[in-house]
Amino acid sequence: MQPLAQFLTAEECAEIDAALLSSQEKFSTRLAIYALRLLKKIAQETGLSVIEVTNQQVADWIQQDESIKQQIDVDASFESFFTNLVISSLRPLQQISLETGREIEALTVKQVVAWFEKDGKIRREQGIDAAFLKL
């Protein structure tokens, strides 16, 4: 597993950029992939499943993540803001898990991107109420 100091790999960014997603959907996809990586790492270190990781464990990890510390030093409210974003990413990850029949830990970047693409297509073709995410 790559260090968390780098949010996404160049390959992951390219895959997201190639997807048929709006800017907001791309941001949400990037965040979900980062959250998936972070949640897997916390779960691995604690011996818990991803679904058992607590919000406090996520907050503690973010507080200690070197890639985020610089931003926290500039703006103390960023820590809480970013923690809430990561925690909220668990909701679409749970939905992807449900729809694919795979545990969150087993989800791949390709599956996450494909799901966001599918949800975005539903939003554009059927309206916001038909989509899972209300972006």
Side-chain angles (χ1 to χ4, degrees):
M1 184 174 289
Q2 76 177 54
L4 288 174
Q6 183 179 357
F7 287 114
L8 299 177
T9 65
E11 295 80 15
E12 291 166 341
C13 289
E15 190 168 340
I16 294 166
D17 289 341
L20 299 173
L21 298 167
S22 69
S23 295
Q24 190 173 13
E25 292 163 347
K26 286 180 183 185
F27 174 79
S28 296
T29 306
R30 283 182 165 85
L31 186 59
I33 292 168
Y34 172 77
L36 178 60
R37 183 175 296 122
L38 181 136
L39 290 164
K40 283 180 179 180
K41 182 73 173 165
I42 296 170
Q44 179 185 27
E45 289 184 2
T46 61
L48 301 171
S49 70
V50 165
I51 204 71
E52 295 173 315
V53 171
T54 67
N55 292 356
Q56 187 59 52
Q57 288 169 312
V58 172
D60 292 345
W61 183 274
I62 288 172
Q63 186 177 42
Q64 296 172 18
D65 187 339
E66 288 299 323
S67 64
I68 298 171
K69 270 189 177 179
Q70 294 170 349
Q71 185 63 38
I72 293 170
D73 291 343
V74 172
D75 180 2
S77 66
F78 180 79
E79 180 182 340
S80 173
F81 168 74
F82 193 71
T83 299
N84 288 333
L85 283 177
V86 170
I87 291 168
S88 69
S89 292
L90 186 56
R91 185 173 165 262
L93 291 172
Q94 288 172 319
Q95 186 63 26
I96 298 166
S97 172
L98 180 69
E99 289 181 22
T100 61
R102 299 183 76 181
E103 296 295 322
I104 293 174
E105 291 86 346
L107 295 176
T108 66
V109 169
K110 287 190 181 306
Q111 288 172 316
V112 173
V113 172
W115 183 87
F116 274 91
E117 221 172 4
K118 179 189 72 121
D119 195 59
K121 183 177 180 184
I122 291 169
R123 186 176 306 96
R124 285 183 287 286
E125 292 177 355
Q126 300 175 29
I128 195 166
D129 291 333
F132 181 81
L133 295 177
K134 310 301 181 207
L135 301 177

